[in-house]
Amino acid sequence: MNDGPRRRRTLDDDGGSKGGGLPLIPLVIVVILAGLLIGAILAKVLGGGGNAAPAASPLPAVTVSAAPAETPIPIPSATATAAPTPTPSPKPAPTPKTGASAAPAPKATPKATPEPSPKPTAKPIVIAPTIKPATPKPPTPKPPTPKPPTPKPSAPKPTPIRTAPPPTDGDRAANVVRAYLDSMARGDVNQARSYLSSGNANETFMNRSAHLNFVRPTQNGNGTWLVNADVTTDTGEYFFTFYVTVSPGGAVITDHTSIKPQ
């Protein structure tokens, strides 16, 4: 048994012994990233098929805590006479980095499967039958509709011309008196005298203002005619009395008088 004094372990010695190992936190992060990369590659490979695989759920974030640092154990002195060595205060443990969470794995984007385009439905080809044009039949001429005969206007019946009856002896006696008075009114004394068988045409009051009011023949018992006449002139009214004889050769005035009524 070796009673010699033991060599004290110092903090420097602890740090030197730890310096040779790999760091734990970076190693964990590398492992997580490698797992995410492998998952993404598998999702991409599996998603390229006909039916895309469901999207991979993101891995939960893993928080890596650093291991607690070792606390140095003080070594007691071998000899009682040795002065007590003050116990070195322990170094504060390094605070582990918190919140070091792994980055979420990228979501595998499924590829949209292209929908098959609908193929156009082929329409059935309908072949129309060839219709031969019908030979037009010549139209059957319709017999002309007989028109009703247009009635000819009947010729107007000739209106019988009424022949005036031959004048009577009274008409002839009155006509000769009218002719005499008309000649005197026009001043044609010679023409007036031709109607007289005797006497003179001396009625100077007769002029163009004379107006014959009436002539009234009356037959006498001996066959002669008494003709009364009334004349109005610008000098007054006059009353005439004529005696007329009617024969087959004509009528003639045999006598006449005239008076002016008061």
Side-chain angles (χ1 to χ4, degrees), residues 81-100:
T81 58
T85 303
T87 304
S89 59
K91 293 182 179 181
T95 303
K97 293 182 180 180
T98 60

Side-chain angles (χ1 to χ4, degrees), residues 112-132:
T113 303
E115 296 181 358
S117 58
K119 296 182 180 180
T121 304
K123 295 182 179 180
I125 300 174
V126 179
I127 300 175
T130 304
I131 301 174
K132 294 183 179 180

Side-chain angles (χ1 to χ4, degrees), residues 13-208:
D13 295 336
D14 294 336
S17 61
K18 291 181 181 180
L22 292 176
L24 181 62
I25 293 174
L27 182 61
V28 172
I29 291 174
V30 169
V31 171
I32 292 172
L33 291 179
L36 293 177
L37 179 61
I38 294 172
I41 293 173
L42 292 177
K44 186 174 181 181
V45 172
L46 295 177
N51 295 325
S57 300
L59 297 176
V62 179
T63 304
V64 179
S65 300
E70 295 181 0
T71 302
I73 300 173
I75 300 174
S77 175
T79 60
T81 58
T85 303
T87 304
S89 59
K91 293 182 179 181
T95 303
K97 293 182 180 180
T98 60
S101 59
K107 295 181 180 180
T109 303
K111 293 184 180 180
T113 303
E115 296 181 358
S117 58
K119 296 182 180 180
T121 304
K123 295 182 179 180
I125 300 174
V126 179
I127 300 175
T130 304
I131 301 174
K132 294 183 179 180
T135 304
K137 296 181 180 180
T140 304
K142 295 182 180 180
T145 304
K147 294 182 180 180
T150 304
K152 294 182 180 180
S154 59
K157 296 180 180 180
T159 304
I161 300 174
R162 294 182 181 181
T163 304
T168 62
D169 290 347
D171 294 335
R172 294 169 68 183
N175 289 339
V176 72
V177 171
R178 290 189 183 94
Y180 174 79
L181 294 175
D182 184 65
S183 299
M184 291 298 295
R186 290 185 288 106
D188 191 356
V189 179
N190 293 329
Q191 182 68 27
R193 287 176 181 174
S194 65
Y195 301 112
L196 300 175
S197 62
S198 61
N200 295 320
N202 54 2
E203 292 82 15
T204 56
F205 57 85
M206 292 292 294
N207 54 28
R208 293 186 177 277

